[in-house]
Amino acid sequence: MIDKRLLTTVIALAVAVSSFAQTQTIRAFSHRGGRMERDENTMVAFQESWDLGYTGFETDVRMTADGVLFILHDHTLERTTDGKGIIEKMTADQVRGLHTKKGNKVLSFEELCRFFDGKDNLYVEWELKTSPAELYPQDRLEEMVEKVYQGVKSIKTKNSMMVFTSGDYRGLRYLQTHHPDADLLLIIGRPLSDETIAIAKTTGIYTLGCTMNGTSRKDVKKAHEEGITVSLWPSLSVEDFVLGAYLGCDRMCTDVPAAVKKYVTENFPWLNVVY
């Protein structure tokens, strides 16, 4: 997260490039439903983000031992739920009996698909959580990815973009081979650079999710010249979001969707942000 002392400088830079920003469109999306403002990856979080006016979301999908999909970031249960152990080693019935630390039901993939069904103008990133790799050998990985793809494709929506994302190239490679129509984003835990631009060209995945810290406007411009769409993370604060806008990114998640929307609307009305 950007040093708070740099906020004034960041805002000054953003204002200085306001003429550029007027032609820039940023697709903002609520990360796990706004994990620093809400109970992450729960129906409550997604509903409240929707009620704020967000049509952009990010979430995480994992698969139980008996092949049922749930919305959970970690493979272990202790951080966010009242359960213990590894979700991939549990049955669906066991997971259905769990609640978050804040008392909300652990959300199933099917339930989230139903939530999005009938809603239009959506942008949703479905992160395929297939790590640690030993929990997802190739056959199990392919089963999981295929189920996510088919479930997402069943959602009835208009003018929407459903993006399959992962930091594990195996799942994205499966989609490239079996479902070439799928929109893909490769998550890279590094800043945008010549190296990460080369990875995009090598894999044929021309949308990258890179870390904001270490990324420069020059790198973003270079990526755009190569036809690469740039999504930056993390965005833990409104300061992070303003910095990402200054860098020129195309898409940006936010962990504080309510704060970002209020702050940008009040202070940077010339920013063209699609929520």
Side-chain angles (χ1 to χ4, degrees):
M1 182 168 54
I2 187 172
D3 190 323
K4 301 290 185 180
R5 293 172 296 180
L6 296 179
L7 175 58
T8 302
T9 301
V10 171
I11 292 175
L13 288 170
V15 172
V17 296
S18 61
S19 59
F20 162 76
Q22 285 169 356
T23 65
Q24 173 192 3
T25 298
I26 304 172
R27 167 42 103 167
F29 52 99
S30 180
H31 186 225
R32 305 183 211 166
R35 73 179 184 92
M36 294 182 71
E37 294 177 337
R38 306 284 184 265
D39 192 6
E40 69 173 62
N41 276 331
T42 61
M43 186 62 76
V44 171
F46 293 113
Q47 181 65 61
E48 291 185 356
S49 288
W50 173 262
D51 292 343
L52 282 170
Y54 274 79
T55 58
F57 304 88
E58 186 272 352
T59 192
D60 311 282
V61 187
R62 289 188 174 274
M63 189 170 75
T64 61
D66 51 350
V68 179
L69 304 176
F70 284 87
I71 302 302
L72 202 70
H73 180 272
D74 303 357
H75 68 288
T76 53
L77 298 167
E78 285 81 356
R79 181 179 67 87
T80 57
T81 80
D82 57 4
K84 294 181 179 180
I86 295 173
I87 183 174
E88 283 85 357
K89 296 183 178 181
M90 301 180 72
T91 66
D93 283 344
Q94 289 174 315
V95 177
R96 289 188 186 103
L98 299 177
H99 292 79
T100 69
K101 294 286 180 64
K102 296 182 179 180
N104 291 300
K105 179 183 175 183
V106 173
L107 185 61
S108 74
F109 171 75
E110 182 181 1
E111 288 171 322
L112 188 55
C113 287
R114 286 202 300 267
F115 171 77
F116 288 131
D117 197 61
K119 294 178 171 65
D120 297 331
N121 305 307
L122 296 171
Y123 173 87
V124 185
E125 289 191 2
W126 304 87
E127 185 174 347
L128 307 168
K129 301 297 286 189
T130 53
S131 62
E134 59 267 23
L135 295 174
Y136 290 91
Q138 190 64 28
D139 57 345
R140 179 171 161 82
L141 176 140
E142 292 182 4
E143 176 190 356
M144 184 262 216
V145 174
E146 184 66 28
K147 285 180 175 179
V148 175
Y149 175 84
Q150 295 299 336
V152 169
K153 285 297 180 180
S154 73
I155 298 172
K156 298 178 181 64
T157 180
K158 297 177 182 178
N159 193 34
S160 295
M161 187 174 190
M162 301 289 173
V163 183
F164 302 91
T165 82
S166 186
D168 181 354
Y169 177 53
R170 295 179 302 154
L172 302 184
R173 184 174 61 225
Y174 173 85
L175 289 168
Q176 284 177 308
T177 302
H178 294 86
H179 301 291
D181 64 314
D183 286 303
L184 308 179
L185 180 152
L186 179 61
I187 300 171
I188 298 179
R190 286 171 283 168
L192 195 62
S193 64
D194 289 342
E195 181 183 359
T196 49
I197 288 172
I199 290 172
K201 296 168 74 173
T202 299
T203 60
I205 299 175
Y206 278 73
T207 304
L208 294 179
C210 292
T211 58
M212 185 155 28
N213 290 338
T215 294
S216 69
R217 286 189 68 194
K218 181 180 178 181
D219 293 322
V220 174
K221 181 179 179 182
K222 186 180 295 185
H224 287 164
E225 290 170 350
E226 295 286 351
I228 296 169
T229 299
V230 178
S231 183
L232 294 179
W233 61 278
S235 179
L236 307 177
S237 65
V238 294
E239 297 96 329
D240 289 338
F241 194 88
V242 171
L243 177 59
Y246 166 72
L247 292 173
C249 71
D250 305 289
R251 307 175 190 173
M252 198 183 327
C253 68
T254 177
D255 290 311
V256 286
V260 162
K261 188 172 184 184
K262 182 177 186 295
Y263 188 85
V264 171
T265 300
E266 292 177 353
N267 295 279
F268 300 100
W270 39 261
L271 268 179
N272 187 17
V273 180
V274 179
Y275 297 100

